[in-house]
Amino acid sequence: MANRDLAIAVIFLTQIVVGILGNASLLCHYIILYFTESRLRCTDLILKHLIVANFLALFCKGVPQTMAAFGWTNFISNFGCKFFIFLHRVGRGVSIGSICVLSVFQVITISHRNSRWAELKAKAPKYIVPSLFLCWILQVVVNVIFPIFVTGKLSNKNITHHKDFLYCSSVVHDKTSDSLYAALLSVPDVFCLGFMLWASSTMVFILYRHKQRVQHLCRAHISHRSSPESRATKTILLLMSTFVYFYALASILQIVLAVVNNPDWFLVNITAITTMCFPTVSPFLLMKSDSSVSRLCIAWKRNIKFPNLVRNT
């Protein structure tokens, strides 16, 4: 085994282990919150779907890539190749969609009661389940074409022109068809990225306005410590920038991978590593983000419920 293959295998193994531990920790985090708070929050359902999607994206991409890096390129059958790639694509898409739904729901939740989102506050929880199922159905429909054009190394089909993806291969079409299909696959990602940017920017704006109101009411007790709004804003910006960076880079690399007729070893592996980055680190960012926003929402609700206490402090 070459040193570069060993290094890639170690990277994939690290991503799988860290990602599984992170998502398992996120799941335990919300199980503990459920028993301590004795109620199920609306965001918990979104995060459960996100955890399942992250497990699919990590396991179905990481395991085959790791085996291929160790030199076992013929270990998977034709059906297994189609199955793993399809589940990975669906998991990756649902992960993006879940983050999008979570961001929009948080915008509606922390919006002021006199804002234009006030009417949606009571109705928003009802739309969570349909939105999540729509994410799953959309990703299944969009990615159903992958098993048609992808074959395993153990397949009996004689394909003259094919792209080698280490443990699987796909049929080579003309560049126009590949470009159109790559653009079609990118539409849901671009849509979700746009929603994520809008939701994060809106949350930052809402938190900034709320911070100004609180400082105006509590001028007598100005503290040099960072406010809850500032901490929540930093967390939201960190989550947004990480999400946009990894998924934008992964989408660009996958478009290049779809257009190039003979992708080399480096392009195939760097695309897989980049694709697995966000499912690996997102659980840790989400645990920090949820705790910061939750504490802010609790404090915010108390201020709204008892405004005279704030003015008199």
Side-chain angles (χ1 to χ4, degrees):
M1 180 190 296
N3 290 333
R4 67 173 190 176
D5 293 326
L6 179 60
I8 290 295
V10 171
I11 292 173
F12 282 128
L13 280 176
T14 303
Q15 285 184 310
I16 293 172
V17 172
V18 174
I20 290 176
L21 290 176
N23 284 280
S25 300
L26 182 62
L27 182 61
C28 293
H29 173 73
Y30 287 105
I31 290 174
I32 293 172
L33 285 180
Y34 172 74
F35 284 106
T36 55
E37 296 182 2
S38 301
R39 63 188 180 89
L40 183 66
R41 298 177 301 172
C42 297
T43 54
D44 293 348
L45 180 61
I46 302 175
L47 289 162
K48 287 178 182 177
H49 283 259
L50 177 64
I51 291 169
V52 173
N54 283 344
F55 273 124
L56 287 177
L58 287 168
F59 184 79
C60 295
K61 189 69 172 180
V63 172
Q65 290 287 158
T66 304
M67 300 290 282
F70 279 118
W72 300 326
T73 56
N74 296 323
F75 73 98
I76 192 170
S77 64
N78 184 41
F79 173 78
C81 171
K82 297 174 182 289
F83 185 71
F84 273 104
I85 288 184
F86 176 71
L87 286 184
H88 163 71
R89 291 292 308 182
V90 172
R92 177 184 177 276
V94 173
S95 178
I96 299 175
S98 299
I99 291 290
C100 180
V101 174
L102 178 64
S103 301
V104 174
F105 182 78
Q106 285 180 333
V107 169
I108 298 173
T109 300
I110 70 172
S111 61
H112 196 267
R113 59 183 178 180
N114 296 325
S115 67
R116 57 183 177 179
W117 302 104
E119 297 180 359
L120 290 176
K121 277 194 174 185
K123 299 179 181 179
K126 300 178 182 179
Y127 296 113
I128 289 178
V129 174
S131 299
L132 292 173
F133 276 108
L134 181 62
C135 287
W136 285 98
I137 294 171
L138 178 63
Q139 293 302 321
V140 168
V141 172
V142 170
N143 295 292
V144 74
I145 197 170
F146 268 91
I148 299 175
F149 296 110
V150 174
T151 58
K153 292 293 185 70
L154 299 178
S155 175
N156 295 324
K157 291 184 179 180
N158 186 12
I159 303 175
T160 305
H161 301 286
H162 68 278
K163 295 181 182 180
D164 187 9
F165 298 122
L166 301 180
Y167 61 93
C168 287
S169 60
S170 67
V171 180
V172 175
H173 302 91
D174 59 279
K175 285 195 174 182
T176 303
S177 300
D178 287 340
S179 300
L180 289 175
Y181 184 59
L184 176 64
L185 290 176
S186 301
V187 169
D189 293 356
V190 173
F191 181 79
C192 289
L193 283 172
F195 256 106
M196 178 70 177
L197 287 170
W198 167 81
S200 300
S201 303
T202 305
M203 280 191 283
V204 170
F205 177 72
I206 292 173
L207 293 174
Y208 175 74
R209 292 188 60 184
H210 182 258
K211 178 183 176 182
Q212 286 185 321
R213 293 193 190 99
V214 172
Q215 286 181 341
H216 177 72
L217 294 173
C218 306
R219 285 179 180 175
H221 297 274
I222 297 176
S223 174
H224 294 288
R225 295 182 302 172
S226 61
S227 63
E229 294 85 356
S230 299
R231 292 193 295 269
T233 300
K234 291 177 182 177
T235 305
I236 291 169
L237 290 175
L238 177 63
L239 181 63
M240 177 194 70
S241 59
T242 306
F243 177 87
V244 172
Y245 174 76
F246 282 129
Y247 270 120
L249 182 60
S251 298
I252 293 172
L253 289 174
Q254 287 184 345
I255 291 174
V256 174
L257 194 65
V259 175
V260 175
N261 288 333
N262 296 308
D264 58 8
W265 174 92
F266 178 78
L267 180 59
V268 172
N269 282 292
I270 198 65
T271 302
I273 291 172
T274 308
T275 302
M276 292 174 58
C277 281
F278 189 79
T280 301
V281 302
S282 62
F284 304 100
L285 296 175
L286 286 168
M287 282 187 283
K288 180 177 175 59
S289 172
D290 182 75
S291 59
S292 300
V293 175
S294 296
R295 287 194 299 266
L296 177 63
C297 289
I298 292 172
W300 197 343
K301 288 178 181 178
R302 288 175 180 172
N303 291 342
I304 293 174
K305 189 175 182 180
F306 304 108
N308 292 330
L309 295 178
V310 176
R311 294 189 181 93
N312 295 329
T313 54

